[in-house]
Amino acid sequence: MNRGDKAHTFTNTTHLRYSGFVVPRNRRIELREKKMASWKSDHLEVLYYVLGWVAFFSWSISFYPQVFLNFQRKSVVGLNFDFVLLNLTKHSSYLIYNASLFFSSTVQRQYREKFGFNEMIPVAANDVAFSAHAVLLTAFTLFQIAIYDRGNQKVSKTSVGIVSVAWFSAAVCMFLAIPRNSWFWLVSCFNMIQVVMTIIKYIPQAFLNFQRKSTVGFSIGNILLDFFGGLTNYCQMAVQSIDQNSWVIFYGNIGKTMISVHFVLYRSKKSDISADPTAVRKEPLLEPSERLAF
């Protein structure tokens, strides 16, 4: 290496000296990516995937008790519509985050640049599968709300406002991320939206249960399976963290169990069930004063 090469090595920050040679920055990233983390224990790796798919099936099945209950009663009275709307926003945001981090090599590279190239990607195939399934089932539940007896229940103006702010914030983040190619930062914004939705989504349902002093129309199976899926998902992340001796990937979703005690507090009342469960009322979901003007 001549003097000019040495000077170039110290003055150009996009290069570095590697074994006596000047290495471009993109080659440096390639060399570092070859040292990416891998599983240290085959047993923990198997356990990781087992726990992940157990969480997937538990979370996925958790949607069906409510769907079947709605179909059986031909009524959605007792199911809070705000909860469903917030849940759809939560799972849509989570799908964007999971799919982007799992499939995009660019997002993965930016993740490792931030947290270290020795860190494993915290999203598995079961996470993507669950998110896609959750969006479809939640959208189908909204369809049931549109066609079945809903009594005098409606989507609140507050819920519509929260969802509107969430997606407007996502749009602003997108416009900020595109010029800077900050794709991991962008999907992290969607992840923050899903965390917020997870914290608040059960509040409307809990308040409705309190008002009615009843849980008729809301399936307890949803909560129990949702809780078990969350528990196994936490265990899955813990297994990966233990194997890698790193807790960077361990992040939790707060507020998932806040309604798990509702069945104990408010027992079902048969009198709450509609006298004619086959009736389908065509009342609007929003009050005229609450409809959004476009």
Side-chain angles (χ1 to χ4, degrees):
M1 179 180 297
N2 56 38
R3 178 176 294 179
D5 288 334
K6 291 182 180 180
H8 183 71
T9 301
F10 289 103
T11 58
N12 191 338
T13 58
T14 63
H15 293 72
L16 57 75
R17 188 177 354 179
Y18 183 79
S19 299
F21 298 96
V22 177
V23 182
R25 182 177 181 274
N26 59 349
R27 177 55 179 163
R28 177 180 60 180
I29 294 175
E30 181 181 346
L31 290 169
R32 292 176 66 184
E33 287 183 339
K34 288 183 178 179
K35 300 180 181 179
M36 288 188 303
S38 59
W39 285 95
K40 301 175 183 178
S41 169
D42 293 337
H43 298 293
L44 289 179
E45 182 179 8
V46 171
L47 180 60
Y48 170 84
Y49 288 112
V50 170
L51 288 171
W53 286 107
V54 169
F56 163 76
F57 284 112
S58 179
W59 269 339
S60 297
I61 295 172
S62 71
F63 290 91
Y64 289 94
Q66 186 66 58
V67 170
F68 289 148
L69 180 63
N70 296 342
F71 175 77
Q72 183 181 29
R73 300 173 65 229
K74 298 296 187 294
S75 171
V76 289
V77 175
L79 172 64
N80 188 273
F81 305 161
D82 295 344
F83 160 71
V84 180
L85 183 61
L86 294 172
N87 208 26
L88 180 62
T89 301
K90 174 255 193 308
H91 289 302
S92 299
S93 303
Y94 198 40
L95 175 60
I96 294 172
Y97 172 79
N98 284 333
S100 300
L101 194 52
F102 186 77
F103 291 110
S104 173
S105 59
T106 300
V107 176
Q108 292 176 1
R109 177 175 56 80
Q110 292 181 0
Y111 172 86
R112 292 190 172 105
E113 286 178 344
K114 180 176 181 179
F115 294 107
F117 282 85
N118 60 333
E119 295 294 338
M120 298 183 71
I121 298 300
V123 174
N126 63 274
D127 297 314
V128 181
F130 161 72
S131 299
H133 179 269
V135 170
L136 292 176
L137 264 292
T138 308
F140 184 76
T141 304
L142 278 177
F143 173 72
Q144 289 184 313
I145 290 174
I147 66 174
Y148 288 154
D149 174 18
R150 50 186 176 266
N152 60 357
Q153 293 181 209
K154 304 181 188 300
V155 177
S156 72
K157 190 174 182 179
T158 301
S159 176
V160 174
I162 291 174
V163 170
S164 299
V165 169
W167 288 112
F168 177 77
S169 300
V172 171
C173 291
M174 183 176 297
F175 281 112
L176 293 175
I178 290 176
R180 300 181 299 171
N181 292 323
S182 302
W183 305 118
F184 175 69
W185 175 80
L186 176 60
V187 300
S188 296
C189 293
F190 281 100
N191 191 37
M192 286 303 301
I193 291 175
Q194 75 90 10
V195 169
V196 173
M197 293 298 123
T198 298
I199 295 173
I200 68 174
K201 70 175 185 177
Y202 279 132
I203 296 177
Q205 183 66 58
F207 184 70
L208 179 64
N209 293 345
F210 174 78
Q211 282 185 316
R212 299 172 70 235
K213 297 298 186 291
S214 172
T215 57
V216 170
F218 184 72
S219 174
I220 185 62
N222 172 29
I223 298 301
L224 297 178
L225 289 167
D226 195 22
F227 173 79
F228 182 72
L231 181 63
T232 52
N233 187 56
Y234 293 153
C235 292
Q236 182 195 30
M237 291 186 293
V239 166
Q240 186 175 2
S241 298
I242 292 171
D243 180 83
Q244 298 298 302
N245 194 28
S246 170
W247 296 94
V248 171
I249 61 172
F250 195 85
Y251 60 93
N253 293 329
I254 304 172
K256 296 197 59 133
T257 62
M258 62 179 298
I259 204 173
S260 61
V261 296
H262 79 285
F263 186 72
V264 177
L265 294 177
Y266 305 124
R267 295 188 302 172
S268 300
K269 298 179 181 179
K270 293 183 180 179
S271 59
D272 289 338
I273 303 178
S274 174
D276 183 8
T278 62
V280 178
R281 302 178 189 177
K282 299 299 183 180
E283 298 180 17
L285 290 178
L286 290 171
E287 293 287 357
S289 61
E290 295 179 347
R291 294 178 184 174
L292 297 177
F294 294 95

